[in-house]
Amino acid sequence: MTKTLRERPLQSGSSETLDPQNWDDIRAEGHRMLDDMIDYAANIRDRPVWQPIPDEVRARFHAKLPRQPSDLGEVYREFTDFIVPYATGNVHPGFMGWVHGGGTAVGMLAEMLAAGLNANLGGRDHIPIEVERQIVEWTRLMFGFPSEASGIFVTGTSMANLMAVLVARTAALGQSVRQRGVGDEGASLTAYTSTAAHGCITKAMDIAGFGSEALRCIEADRSHRIDVAALRARIALDRGAGLKPFLVVGSAGTVDIGAIDDLRALSSLCREEGLWFHVDGAYGALGILSPALAPRLAGLENADSIALDFHKWGQVPYDAGFLIVRDGDRHRQTFSAPAAYLRRETRGLAAGSSWPCDLGPDLSRGFRALKTWFTLKTYGTEKLGAMITRSCALAGYLEARILAERRLELLAPVQLNIVCFRYRAVDANKVNGDIVIDIQESGIAAPSTTVLDGQLAIRAAIVNHRTDTCDIDALVSAVLEFGAQRSCSDDGLVLKVERSPPLAM
């Protein structure tokens, strides 16, 4: 008869532990992995930015659940052969399609250290919590927020924007909204943003229980900034209809072209109207570190809350989103949920109140703060600010290349680091869509597309700190070559590029 678990004797040093039998073996494997990944970053230009995934490679990731152990070296070989070559590509300086940071070797090492500590930053009294509090303090100083401000790491700005909507909801309806829901009073609340704002704002209103129709998307001007006069008029119209405006979301770097709303005017309007002023600063907010860009963010210091991503312009490895709230008490009222198993003590491991879980929905939280702390400590804000300034200068360089080339057309003003343009052609939307895919599949660069006033644009977002003029030149040359091919025929020709081998084994 099979013995129950309780009847089975426990043995000291049981083989069920997941530690290696020989630490020297895993040390050697670890050094090899580290060397390979450093080589990967150091020699990234030798690789295609991105390449399509072959069917046979994709099929490998539909394998059955592994029941038996595998040799670590063999698992790593699969990583080098079938994962590394088909990654997103944002480590590469030719990646310009979306606003993704390029990461750094420093951040990679910090992530390894954080994994080694395996700390849960939901709460309790341990130094990783103090590291996160240090970043909160530095961020507070960065944006000129008061000492009572609070902040927390999250996955990204989409989550941070949702949390800001929830804090604004508490400010409007009181803490009882957490027990009773938005109810009839909440049904009359309205929020405002621009037509150029990120789609996650609409999703946040949906998830927060207001419904997406409670969000008024105000028209933008020719520079893609919210029309403040139109916003003021819509607020007055809604008040006259018996509705209750409660929130305005401004943008510091819109998703399409990187526009910055008039934050000073928005903050003044919100003070006059008694509205919560939140800023979606996913990547643009860190422009505050650049002396050249900081003046354009005037008014950011007056926001009630700011969402941003250190993994974009801050170059911290994914993910490292952040929310900072001016009124820390209001922030805590929105998320704190005392429970017996989260009892706070004045001594011991359960001391150190308040805990990060009081500021967001997560109790299990990784040590995102460490890679951000390493990045800020190692590079300093002046160097990071200079890097941000340079990415905007590179956008200016691309703009000049476009304006000097009769076959290309600029489709929007270049305000930060995003350039939207197209190849002139008879069927321009189709041709430019094909050009972007051709370039992506060639491995030369990775732009993306967007639509501006019905025109499909090639969108180049210059975020990676490794990007240089040579990468801009390669993009322009590829657009011209593929554009010429697509304008003359539709035979799907693509440039040939050498493929680099997998990581050295």
Side-chain angles (χ1 to χ4, degrees):
M1 184 175 180
T2 303
K3 289 186 177 181
T4 65
L5 287 175
R6 186 170 295 181
E7 292 172 328
R8 293 174 184 169
L10 290 177
Q11 298 177 354
S12 178
S14 169
S15 62
E16 275 73 25
T17 177
L18 299 181
D19 280 339
Q21 297 297 307
N22 187 321
W23 284 96
D24 288 337
D25 289 345
I26 199 167
R27 189 189 311 277
E29 288 283 5
H31 282 297
R32 180 161 66 107
M33 293 176 186
L34 179 59
D35 286 343
D36 284 351
M37 291 313 297
I38 289 176
D39 286 343
Y40 173 77
N43 303 311
I44 193 65
R45 274 198 175 85
D46 297 337
R47 297 176 170 276
V49 179
W50 175 85
Q51 55 185 334
I53 305 169
D55 291 342
E56 61 271 20
V57 171
R58 197 183 299 275
R60 297 185 68 92
F61 296 92
H62 293 275
K64 294 181 179 179
L65 176 68
R67 296 289 184 181
Q68 299 301 318
S70 297
D71 178 73
L72 176 60
E74 288 303 313
V75 176
Y76 180 55
R77 184 182 294 277
E78 284 198 64
F79 169 79
T80 61
D81 289 352
F82 304 115
I83 296 177
V84 171
Y86 307 105
T88 310
N90 53 303
V91 175
H92 199 290
F95 185 95
M96 306 175 201
W98 295 268
V99 184
H100 292 186
T104 65
V106 166
M108 179 184 72
L109 294 172
E111 189 79 307
M112 177 189 68
L113 298 175
L117 288 179
N118 194 31
N120 179 357
L121 271 74
R124 288 158 286 273
D125 191 21
H126 51 123
I127 281 295
I129 297 284
E130 295 298 334
V131 174
E132 181 158 338
R133 288 174 179 152
Q134 173 76 92
I135 302 297
V136 172
E137 175 65 10
W138 287 345
T139 306
R140 180 187 74 77
L141 293 172
M142 203 182 295
F143 295 119
F145 269 35
S147 59
E148 60 269 21
S150 57
I152 186 169
F153 275 96
V154 293
T155 52
T157 292
S158 293
M159 175 58 75
N161 283 332
L162 168 60
M163 291 167 61
V165 170
L166 295 174
V167 178
R169 187 184 72 172
T170 300
L173 298 176
Q175 199 170 1
S176 63
V177 68
R178 297 181 61 188
Q179 291 79 41
R180 300 174 184 172
V182 295
D184 293 339
E185 186 179 3
S188 65
L189 293 180
T190 53
Y192 305 81
T193 193
S194 131
T195 54
H198 197 282
C200 68
I201 306 299
T202 301
K203 185 181 290 188
M205 290 292 290
D206 169 12
I207 297 172
F210 297 109
S212 58
E213 292 183 0
L215 179 66
R216 298 350 190 182
C217 293
I218 307 301
E219 58 264 33
D221 62 20
R222 296 187 63 182
S223 296
H224 288 235
R225 300 180 304 172
I226 191 169
D227 186 325
V228 179
L231 170 62
R232 187 183 295 275
R234 185 55 194 265
I235 290 171
L237 182 66
D238 284 342
R239 287 198 192 280
L243 299 175
K244 298 178 181 178
F246 81 109
L247 167 68
V248 171
V249 180
S251 296
T254 57
V255 62
D256 277 331
I257 71 166
I260 300 174
D261 286 335
D262 186 340
L263 303 179
R264 180 174 286 162
L266 289 179
S267 63
S268 295
L269 174 60
C270 288
R271 280 198 303 270
E272 293 170 17
E273 296 283 350
L275 308 178
W276 188 276
F277 177 38
H278 173 66
V279 176
D280 176 358
Y283 80 96
L286 285 179
I288 202 75
L289 301 179
S290 163
L293 298 183
R296 298 176 57 190
L297 293 163
L300 186 60
E301 70 281 0
N302 297 324
D304 291 300
S305 51
I306 303 170
L308 67 141
D309 290 325
F310 283 105
H311 57 236
K312 289 189 170 75
W313 250 348
Q315 309 298 329
V316 173
Y318 276 86
D319 52 36
F322 198 84
L323 173 67
I324 186 165
V325 179
R326 173 178 297 277
D327 186 339
D329 287 340
R330 189 77 73 185
H331 190 178
R332 281 181 284 274
Q333 289 168 10
T334 304
F335 294 105
S336 63
Y341 51 85
L342 298 177
R343 175 183 169 87
R344 316 300 164 84
E345 305 289 354
T346 57
R347 298 169 50 226
L349 185 55
S353 187
S354 64
W355 293 357
C357 63
D358 297 328
L359 302 174
D362 296 322
L363 179 57
S364 296
R365 304 178 62 250
F367 197 1
R368 297 182 180 98
L370 187 63
K371 56 193 174 185
T372 309
W373 183 82
F374 260 82
T375 299
L376 292 171
K377 290 276 286 185
T378 302
Y379 299 110
T381 57
E382 290 185 5
K383 188 175 181 72
L384 292 172
M387 174 270 300
I388 290 169
T389 302
R390 187 171 183 278
S391 68
C392 294
L394 285 169
Y397 175 77
L398 175 55
E399 177 185 30
R401 287 291 318 269
I402 293 164
L403 294 175
E405 173 53 63
R406 62 179 178 79
R407 290 172 289 177
L408 302 179
E409 178 185 5
L410 193 69
L411 292 183
V414 178
Q415 302 192 46
L416 287 178
N417 60 327
I418 298 178
V419 184
C420 293
F421 67 105
R422 68 175 178 173
Y423 185 89
R424 297 181 190 271
V426 175
D427 190 357
N429 282 359
K430 181 180 187 308
V431 168
N432 282 274
D434 288 338
I435 287 171
V436 167
I437 295 173
D438 288 343
I439 294 174
Q440 291 172 352
E441 291 181 342
S442 76
I444 294 170
S448 66
T449 62
T450 190
V451 177
L452 301 174
D453 298 324
Q455 300 179 99
L456 187 139
I458 300 172
R459 178 176 176 270
I462 304 166
V463 186
N464 193 323
H465 61 97
R466 302 179 181 94
T467 303
D468 207 340
T469 53
C470 62
D471 304 296
I472 304 297
D473 291 338
L475 171 65
V476 172
S477 296
V479 170
L480 294 174
E481 183 159 352
F482 284 121
Q485 292 175 8
R486 288 292 178 182
S487 295
C488 293
S489 66
D490 192 27
D491 57 10
L493 292 175
V494 295
L495 292 175
K496 299 293 185 181
V497 295
E498 288 189 12
R499 302 298 186 191
S500 60
L503 287 175
M505 296 302 293

